[in-house]
Each structure stands twice: as structure tokens, then as C-alpha cells.
Amino acid sequence: MCKKIKYNLIPLIAYLICIIADEFIAIQKPVDHNTTYAIWFIPIILIVIAGGGLIRYIARCFSSVEGKKVLILGAQGSGKTTLLCHLQGKKTDTSNYQSSTTKTEYEEFDYTKENGESVRIAAGVDLPGREQAWEHDVKDYIEDAEILFYLFDADKFLNDNKYQKDVVSPQLSHINNEWKKKNKNTDNVVIIGSHLDKIKLEPDKAITKIKDMTSNKKYHKLLAKNFGLADIRDEKQSKKIFQIVLK
């Protein structure tokens, strides 16, 4: 991110040193032009060396500004990596949910909507859904995000009280708190209950039940806005979500 760039002060320092050295030598004794040229050649070399890194920083900064900063979070096995693959236009194994156990960075890319419009997605990171130290791991990423997808296993949520209490509720509470701290628009938080294919209830009834189960939670307003169920393995369902969110 732009705010994390540390400017390289080596060229500036070298420039100041050469000015001082040039003035000092000039006072002590006359200096021929070759010596002066040699002194001023030092900062030029340092600027060229350091400049390459600085240019790359600037280019990365501006390219990130152009793209939407999308963050995909969720519980382990909820379909985060599969959703990202669909967003990137990558082919994925539709027989199962793709899983990532390590943090993986990706470069910026373009997503093409059904109407042919292209949306630039900024460089980001695919985060694992491990519960340990989850809040600490995602805090900085939530702060930078413009659009946030949160996924959880809806079938597990409906049938496993421990999963609901110890995994999903703490994660949604943390997202809700961090989003509010930054006064961000909650319309840009999209919550997806995955594993729709496993749920025995009709989708509308399952959605109503999940909302009722979380009605006493502070994050329940997030579920009242952009919440739905999906089989993330189905690319068509993912595209419908992107069509609505990536305006």
C-alpha cells in the first residue's frame, strides 16, 4: 500500500554530502574540474541504483489505487479460495472446495462482467481461514479493504452450535467492529453462506433461520443487507454475486 512506502533517503544524503565536500575542498585549495566531476558523479550513481526501486514502488502504488481493494475472508473450508479463483477467471475443481492453508499474495487483475465492462481488482492476498490468531492476522487487511466478502459453511452453522459460537460469531463480530471503526459503508460487506448443496431446508427458510439465530448479535445488521446462500463451486452463482457487488 502507498502509506507503507518508506522513501529512500540515500540519494538525498549523498547529494548533501557532495555539496559539503565540494565547498570544503574549494575553500582549502583550488580544485580542477576533473575532481569536481568525480565528486558529483557519486550521487548520480546512487540515484540510478536507488531510483529503480523507487520507480517500482511508485508504479505499484498507482496501479493499486486504480483497482478495487477486495478482501475475501471466512472460516476454513468455506470456499474463499474457490471464490477467488472464479473472480480471477481461473479454472477450478468443481467437485470440491479449493482450500488454502497458507497466505498467498496475488497481483492485480481485471474482472470482466457479463456486459463486457472490465473492473480492475487491486493486488491482494488469499488468507487461510485458521481460527488461531484470526483477528490479529486480518486487522490490517480489513482496514485497507473497500469490498469485503465473508464466507461460512451455512450447513455447519445450522447444525453445529460450536461452529456457530466459536468460529463464525467471533469472526463476524470482529469484522463488524473494525468496519464501524473506519466508518465504512456496510453495503460493501457481502456475507455468503456456502455449501448450499448440503442444506436440507429450502434456501429462503434457511436464510430466515440463520437471521433468527443471530438476531441478538451486534453484527446482525450485516446479515440484513447483503446476505445469501450459494454453492461457491458453481461459477454461475459466483458470477451473479460479482455482478451485483462489483459496480
Side-chain angles (χ1 to χ4, degrees):
M1 301 300 171
C2 301
K3 65 180 182 180
K4 293 181 180 178
I5 294 175
K6 294 182 179 179
Y7 294 101
N8 196 330
L9 297 177
I10 293 176
L12 178 60
I13 294 170
Y15 176 76
L16 294 174
I17 290 173
C18 287
I19 289 178
I20 296 170
D22 194 24
E23 291 297 325
F24 178 77
I25 293 171
I27 293 171
Q28 297 299 315
K29 60 179 181 179
V31 181
D32 60 29
H33 292 299
N34 291 334
T35 304
T36 302
Y37 295 153
I39 291 172
W40 284 100
F41 194 64
I42 296 171
I44 293 174
I45 293 174
L46 291 173
I47 288 170
V48 170
I49 294 171
L54 187 60
I55 290 170
R56 285 194 295 273
Y57 272 130
I58 293 172
R60 190 183 305 168
C61 179
F62 277 101
S63 65
S64 295
V65 170
E66 292 175 358
K68 288 183 178 291
K69 297 172 185 174
V70 175
L71 178 62
I72 302 176
L73 296 176
Q76 194 165 12
S78 59
K80 299 182 299 301
T81 302
T82 302
L83 185 68
L84 177 61
C85 285
H86 290 323
L87 185 61
Q88 292 174 318
K90 293 181 178 179
K91 294 297 180 183
T92 181
D93 181 8
T94 57
S95 65
N96 205 346
Y97 282 77
Q98 299 299 301
S99 182
S100 176
T101 57
T102 58
K103 182 170 70 173
T104 307
E105 295 183 356
Y106 57 84
E107 298 297 323
E108 64 180 6
F109 61 93
D110 291 323
Y111 174 75
T112 304
K113 299 168 70 174
E114 290 181 356
N115 61 3
E117 181 185 348
S118 182
V119 180
R120 173 62 57 88
I121 306 298
V125 61
D126 181 15
L127 294 167
R130 60 186 182 188
E131 282 75 50
Q132 299 87 352
W134 192 85
E135 294 183 9
H136 178 269
D137 290 343
V138 305
K139 185 175 181 180
D140 289 341
Y141 297 106
I142 292 176
E143 182 179 332
D144 290 331
E146 294 175 291
I147 298 173
L148 189 153
F149 290 94
Y150 177 79
L151 289 80
F152 67 95
D153 185 331
D155 180 60
K156 237 185 203 184
F157 188 91
L158 289 166
N159 299 293
D160 186 344
N161 186 58
K162 184 174 175 61
Y163 179 77
Q164 177 203 146
K165 182 181 176 182
D166 297 343
V167 179
V168 178
S169 283
Q171 291 181 355
L172 277 174
S173 294
H174 183 66
I175 290 170
N176 185 57
N177 292 339
E178 291 299 321
W179 211 256
K180 278 187 174 180
K181 282 180 186 177
K182 302 300 177 183
N183 293 318
K184 295 188 178 187
N185 187 355
T186 52
D187 288 342
N188 293 331
V189 177
V190 182
I191 302 175
I192 304 170
S194 62
H195 295 271
L196 174 61
D197 55 304
K198 295 181 181 178
I199 298 174
K200 295 178 180 179
L201 293 173
E202 293 180 7
D204 289 345
K205 290 183 178 179
I207 289 172
T208 300
K209 186 172 181 179
I210 290 172
K211 287 183 176 180
D212 289 343
M213 291 169 70
T214 57
S215 60
N216 63 337
K217 305 294 183 182
K218 290 183 178 180
Y219 60 78
H220 77 279
K221 289 183 179 179
L222 295 179
L223 291 166
K225 290 195 172 184
N226 293 329
F227 169 56
L229 302 178
D231 181 353
I232 297 301
R233 298 173 304 172
D234 186 347
E235 188 176 1
K236 290 182 180 179
Q237 293 188 36
S238 295
K239 284 185 174 180
K240 284 183 180 178
I241 296 168
F242 300 146
Q243 194 72 18
I244 296 170
V245 179
L246 301 177
K247 299 175 182 178

